[in-house]
Amino acid sequence: MKLLEYLGRSSAVPDFRAAIEQFLASGRPSERVAFGGRSPIIKVERTLTKLLEAYADLPIESVEIAGRSGCEFFRGEAVVRTADAERRIRFDWDCKWKAQALGWTDYFGFPDQTRAAREFGHDCFRGWEEQTVDQLAEA
């Protein structure tokens, strides 16, 4: 499981590590891994994986994921907190986009988003952008 691999290599604090392990066991949000009840667990897991990959050196204490999900996408914002800072990341996970980029189609000629999601998991992020103070004011 990639999430545990990235967690093992990360600088996340012990309480956040425990919260990730709790999330993997229960699929439920917690104080340190927060997300809405309508967020699919697998998509939250992919977002956490990308987060730990992108911020391996950050001593993460907690994350709050606010996203909306459709069949082929999960878009929103992640707020990542450390002891002395907060970062906001806009994300766009899109397996249909990934399938189109690779030229993969299914039996009916549609983008094979199922294959892309299965084979690429957290690598289907179309966008992963940390928001600056100016961008936050515009949003």
Side-chain angles (χ1 to χ4, degrees):
M1 180 174 292
K2 293 225 182 226
L3 179 54
L4 290 176
E5 291 173 25
Y6 286 113
L7 182 62
R9 290 184 238 157
S10 79
S11 297
V13 302
D15 287 343
F16 184 71
R17 290 172 180 276
I20 292 285
E21 290 173 3
Q22 177 187 352
F23 163 76
L24 288 172
S26 71
R28 299 188 193 287
S30 67
E31 183 179 314
R32 294 192 180 266
V33 179
F35 57 93
R38 294 187 178 195
S39 296
I41 294 165
I42 188 64
K43 292 179 181 178
V44 170
E45 181 181 328
R46 290 172 178 146
T47 305
L48 292 169
T49 303
K50 178 68 174 178
L51 171 73
L52 290 170
E53 177 188 46
Y55 294 101
D57 296 333
L58 198 64
I60 299 170
E61 294 194 348
S62 68
V63 64
E64 183 178 342
I65 299 170
R68 63 188 212 295
S69 181
C71 180
E72 76 276 358
F73 69 86
F74 187 53
R75 298 180 183 118
E77 182 180 82
V79 179
V80 182
R81 293 181 181 92
T82 64
D84 57 357
E86 181 177 284
R87 296 178 188 217
R88 294 178 180 267
I89 299 109
R90 282 195 185 151
F91 63 85
D92 181 2
W93 182 91
D94 190 332
C95 60
K96 181 178 177 181
W97 161 81
K98 186 72 165 185
Q100 288 172 321
L102 296 168
W104 290 355
T105 56
D106 63 15
Y107 177 81
F108 301 103
F110 297 110
D112 195 346
Q113 61 198 43
T114 302
R115 179 181 174 197
R118 184 179 57 249
E119 292 192 28
F120 286 93
H122 81 283
D123 284 332
C124 286
F125 278 92
R126 179 180 200 168
W128 185 269
E129 181 181 341
E130 189 169 333
Q131 302 299 288
T132 65
V133 174
D134 292 338
Q135 290 170 315
L136 291 172
E138 295 171 7

